[in-house]
C-alpha cells in the first residue's frame, strides 16, 4: 500500500485524458457545422448591413472582428492546437504548481499523498507499539491517528479526482464557450 495514491491518480489521469480528447472530438464534430453556418451568416449579415448603410465600421474594426472569429474558430475546432496549448496549460499547469507548493521534488500529487499516508501510518504504528493492555491512551491515540490519516488522505484523493473530472467536463465544452465568445448576445449567458 506504499503507492496507492500514485497509482490511483495515474490511472485517473489516463482515464480523464482519454475522456477529454474523445469527448472534445465528439463535441467538435457536433459543433463544427453549426459554427461554420453561424460564422457565414454573421459575415453575410454584416456585409449586407454594410452595403445598405446600416452598419458603419472601419477597416481596422472589421479586420479585428474577422481575426477574432478566425482565432476562436481555429481554437474551437483544431484538436492539435487544443491539446498542445489549452490542455497542457489548464490540466498540467495547476498540477505542476501544486507539486511545487507541497514539496517541490515529486512528479505528482500522488507521491506527496503517499508520503503523507506513510508518515501518518508510521506515527500511528509508533503510538500503537507504546500501548499495552494497561496503558490504553497510546492505543486510542494510535487509532485516532490511523483514522485521521486515512480520512484526510481519502478526502484529498476524492477532491483531486473531483477537480480533474470537473475540469475534463469543462474542457469538453470548450467549443460551446468559443461560440458564445463570438456573438455578443451569447456573451452574457
Amino acid at each position: 500500500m506504499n503507492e496507492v495514491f500514485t497509482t490511483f491518480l495515474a490511472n485517473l489521469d489516463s482515464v480523464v485524458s482519454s475522456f477529454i480528447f474523445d469527448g472534445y472530438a465528439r463535441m467538435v464534430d457536433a459543433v463544427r457545422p453549426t459554427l461554420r453556418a453561424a460564422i457565414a451568416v454573421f459575415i453575410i449579415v454584416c456585409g449586407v448591413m454594410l452595403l445598405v448603410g446600416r452598419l458603419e465600421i472601419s477597416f481596422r474594426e472589421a479586420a479585428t472582428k474577422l481575426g477574432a472569429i478566425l482565432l476562436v474558430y481555429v481554437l474551437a475546432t483544431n484538436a492539435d492546437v487544443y491539446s498542445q496549448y489549452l490542455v497542457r496549460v489548464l490540466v498540467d499547469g495547476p498540477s505542476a504548481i501544486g507539486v511545487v507548493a507541497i514539496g517541490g521534488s515529486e512528479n505528482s500529487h500522488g507521491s506527496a499523498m503517499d508520503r503523507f499516508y506513510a508518515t501518518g501510518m508510521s506515527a500511528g504504528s509508533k503510538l500503537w507499539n507504546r500501548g499495552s493492555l494497561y496503558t490504553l491512551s497510546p492505543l486510542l491515540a494510535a487509532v485516532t491517528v490511523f483514522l485521521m490519516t486515512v480520512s484526510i488522505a481519502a478526502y484529498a484523493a476524492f477532491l483531486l479526482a473531483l477537480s480533474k473530472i470537473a475540469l475534463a467536463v469543462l474542457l469538453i465544452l470548450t467549443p460551446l464557450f468559443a461560440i458564445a465568445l463570438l456573438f455578443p448576445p451569447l456573451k452574457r449567458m
Side-chain angles (χ1 to χ4, degrees):
M1 193 149 175
N2 288 343
E3 296 185 357
V4 69
F5 294 106
T6 302
T7 305
F8 169 71
L9 291 174
N11 290 338
L12 180 69
D13 283 342
S14 66
V15 168
V16 166
S17 291
S18 65
F19 177 72
I20 288 172
F21 292 115
D22 293 344
Y24 178 78
R26 285 191 304 273
M27 182 64 72
V28 166
D29 289 341
V31 168
R32 184 179 285 141
T34 307
L35 183 58
R36 284 181 181 166
I39 290 172
V41 168
F42 180 75
I43 291 173
I44 290 169
V45 167
C46 285
V48 169
M49 289 176 65
L50 190 62
L51 288 174
V52 173
R54 305 261 304 166
L55 178 67
E56 293 189 20
I57 189 169
S58 68
F59 179 74
R60 176 180 236 162
E61 291 172 351
T64 304
K65 286 187 188 245
L66 287 175
I69 289 171
L70 179 65
L71 178 68
V72 168
Y73 179 77
V74 167
L75 288 177
T77 60
N78 191 345
D80 294 336
V81 173
Y82 174 80
S83 64
Q84 187 174 3
Y85 297 111
L86 195 62
V87 171
R88 186 182 301 166
V89 168
L90 294 177
V91 174
D92 299 337
S95 183
I97 292 170
V99 166
V100 169
I102 60 176
S105 62
E106 280 86 18
N107 293 332
S108 69
H109 293 293
S111 57
M113 290 175 60
D114 285 331
R115 192 176 68 220
F116 167 77
Y117 181 79
T119 303
M121 289 297 150
S122 173
S125 295
K126 288 178 184 176
L127 283 171
W128 186 265
N129 292 336
R130 286 187 183 175
S132 68
L133 189 59
Y134 300 109
T135 55
L136 293 177
S137 59
L139 296 177
L140 293 174
V143 168
T144 304
V145 168
F146 288 145
L147 289 175
M148 292 300 290
T149 300
V150 168
S151 62
I152 289 172
Y155 184 64
F158 168 74
L159 288 178
L160 275 172
L162 185 65
S163 68
K164 288 177 184 279
I165 292 168
L167 182 61
V169 170
L170 287 175
L171 287 174
I172 288 172
L173 297 175
T174 301
L176 296 178
F177 295 135
I179 292 172
L181 284 176
L182 284 179
F183 305 105
L186 296 177
K187 283 183 184 179
R188 293 181 295 237
M189 294 177 86

